[in-house]
Amino acid sequence: GEDLHMYNSDGDFLIVPQQESLWIQTELGRLTVSPGEICVIPRGIVFTVNILNLENNADDESSEDESFARGYMLEIFRGHFQLPELGPIGSNGLANCRDFLHPTAYYDSDDSQANKSCIIVNKFGQQLFQRSNPHSPYNVVAWHGNYLPYKYDLGRFCAVNSVTYDHPDPSIYTVLTAKGDENGTALADFVIFPPRVMATDQNTFRPPWFHRNVMTEFMGLICGKYDAKKGKNGSGGFVPGGASLHSIMTPHGPDAASYDANVKNPCDEPTKFEGGLAFMFESSAMCKLSQYALHCEQRERDYASCWDGLERAFPTTFDEKS
């Protein structure tokens, strides 16, 4: 069959693998992207994605590997991703520009590949179109400039956190951002919750507080567990490959089990959280659910029950002098 490639005229793609490593070929070179890493494919760049271990076994007809890749993608329709402004943090911290990697030029030099017909799919105006191409699109022998695909190892993120008290806003974990129209909000933020030391003072509630947000929050889990949604008795909770969506101004916060455990935590010494790697796509835009998301069998229809059992934690009467 013919090879299949794609480019997106609508916007940039941010790809977050969760299961299996990816072998991504682009017009400007090749990238391997594994769980724990991300990559960005800018608008208009032709690319194709294969599973890394299957790609390596492509010539082995006896291979019956049935593994599949899984992950998350964020598409923005305006502007491009960039590093957040560090403000008073200074010159270093969060995602450092030196840790982002781009491909070197690579082209199909083998005539059997270079002259092989293929299908190129174009996403344009939220519709898909295709055309037949008589040769490989990967025929760029050299390039210069800074409009290019790139990857980043989330393990290189330099986390900043409170060393006294309270739970800072998760924007301190922003890896990449796309600017919005209003100051203080973003078209899209990519935020991670990496292994880190929770060095807060006594009498602090370490998980996220109960809140509503002017931003849409889409969360995913790459590996491990998320400290604010652990479930009950080993069941439920947030699982790798899963996702949650808290739309604009929808109240949410830690589940009952996480709340009960953390209000009992004296927080009298630093604690290292290294149980997982979660992330969040945060956007000032409202997100519309697809019909598949609404009706698929994986949808957790009793999600709100995670807050069952939360009891009033303040006194029924108050001392007017206090």
Side-chain angles (χ1 to χ4, degrees):
E2 292 181 299
D3 291 336
L4 190 65
H5 314 283
M6 180 183 184
Y7 69 98
N8 183 4
S9 294
D10 293 338
D12 293 1
F13 278 138
L14 169 63
I15 301 174
V16 185
Q18 187 274 320
Q19 178 174 290
E20 297 291 350
S21 298
L22 305 180
W23 177 265
I24 301 177
Q25 185 161 0
T26 77
E27 291 178 279
L28 303 182
R30 302 182 294 180
L31 295 166
T32 59
V33 187
S34 299
E37 298 178 321
I38 61 169
C39 81
V40 171
I41 308 293
R43 175 184 302 177
I45 300 293
V46 178
F47 70 98
T48 189
V49 179
N50 288 288
I51 300 176
L52 181 60
N53 60 352
L54 294 182
E55 176 75 6
N56 291 341
N57 294 330
D59 297 328
D60 182 5
E61 296 182 357
S62 64
S63 175
E64 296 182 358
D65 194 332
E66 296 181 353
S67 55
F68 62 93
R70 181 174 62 189
Y72 310 84
M73 292 180 67
L74 173 64
E75 181 182 12
I76 57 173
F77 299 98
R78 186 173 71 251
H80 302 285
F81 289 105
Q82 63 185 61
L83 293 175
E85 297 179 3
L86 295 183
I89 294 176
S91 59
N92 301 299
L94 309 188
N96 293 301
C97 60
R98 65 177 180 267
D99 293 322
F100 287 80
L101 304 176
H102 60 73
T104 56
Y106 175 87
Y107 65 97
D108 287 328
S109 57
D110 188 311
D111 286 344
S112 63
Q113 291 296 322
N115 297 318
K116 186 178 181 180
S117 63
C118 63
I119 295 294
I120 298 181
V121 175
N122 176 213
K123 182 177 179 291
F124 186 95
Q126 292 293 77
Q127 297 185 65
L128 297 178
F129 303 87
Q130 70 175 43
R131 65 179 173 89
S132 179
N133 207 52
H135 59 79
S136 169
Y138 308 123
N139 53 8
V140 178
V141 299
W143 58 264
H144 69 92
N146 56 13
Y147 191 80
L148 45 86
Y150 54 87
K151 62 176 279 187
Y152 176 72
D153 180 355
L154 300 177
R156 303 291 298 170
F157 187 81
C158 180
V160 175
N161 204 348
S162 171
V163 294
T164 52
Y165 67 93
D166 214 343
H167 178 97
D169 192 281
S171 59
I172 61 171
Y173 302 123
T174 300
V175 179
L176 293 170
T177 186
K179 288 187 175 181
D181 295 327
E182 182 180 350
N183 288 337
T185 65
L187 173 65
D189 284 333
F190 174 62
V191 178
I192 64 170
F193 303 97
R196 62 202 182 277
V197 174
M198 310 293 283
T200 48
D201 204 354
Q202 297 181 17
N203 200 31
T204 285
F205 187 67
R206 282 177 171 162
W209 55 75
F210 295 95
H211 64 286
R212 290 181 291 178
N213 198 345
V214 297
M215 307 277 279
T216 297
E217 299 180 29
F218 175 94
M219 285 198 61
L221 186 62
I222 299 172
C223 63
K225 296 181 179 180
Y226 179 55
D227 58 332
K229 288 285 189 298
K230 295 182 178 180
K232 298 179 180 179
N233 302 319
S235 63
F238 211 25
V239 297
S244 68
L245 178 67
H246 296 111
S247 297
I248 291 173
M249 289 302 175
T250 300
H252 59 284
D255 61 25
S258 300
Y259 172 83
D260 290 339
N262 280 277
V263 293
K264 298 174 184 177
N265 184 352
C267 293
D268 52 2
E269 61 182 19
T271 298
K272 185 173 184 180
F273 172 76
E274 51 186 352
L277 178 58
F279 74 88
M280 180 166 63
F281 296 150
E282 192 172 37
S283 175
S284 57
M286 292 186 176
C287 295
K288 182 179 180 180
L289 289 174
S290 67
Q291 289 299 308
Y292 176 81
L294 284 172
H295 301 294
C296 70
E297 63 181 37
Q298 291 85 3
R299 178 184 166 194
E300 188 177 1
R301 298 179 184 276
D302 61 344
Y303 175 73
S305 66
C306 71
W307 294 294
D308 289 351
L310 283 172
E311 298 180 356
R312 184 171 57 186
F314 50 86
T316 56
T317 59
F318 294 90
D319 182 353
E320 294 182 356
K321 297 180 180 180
S322 61

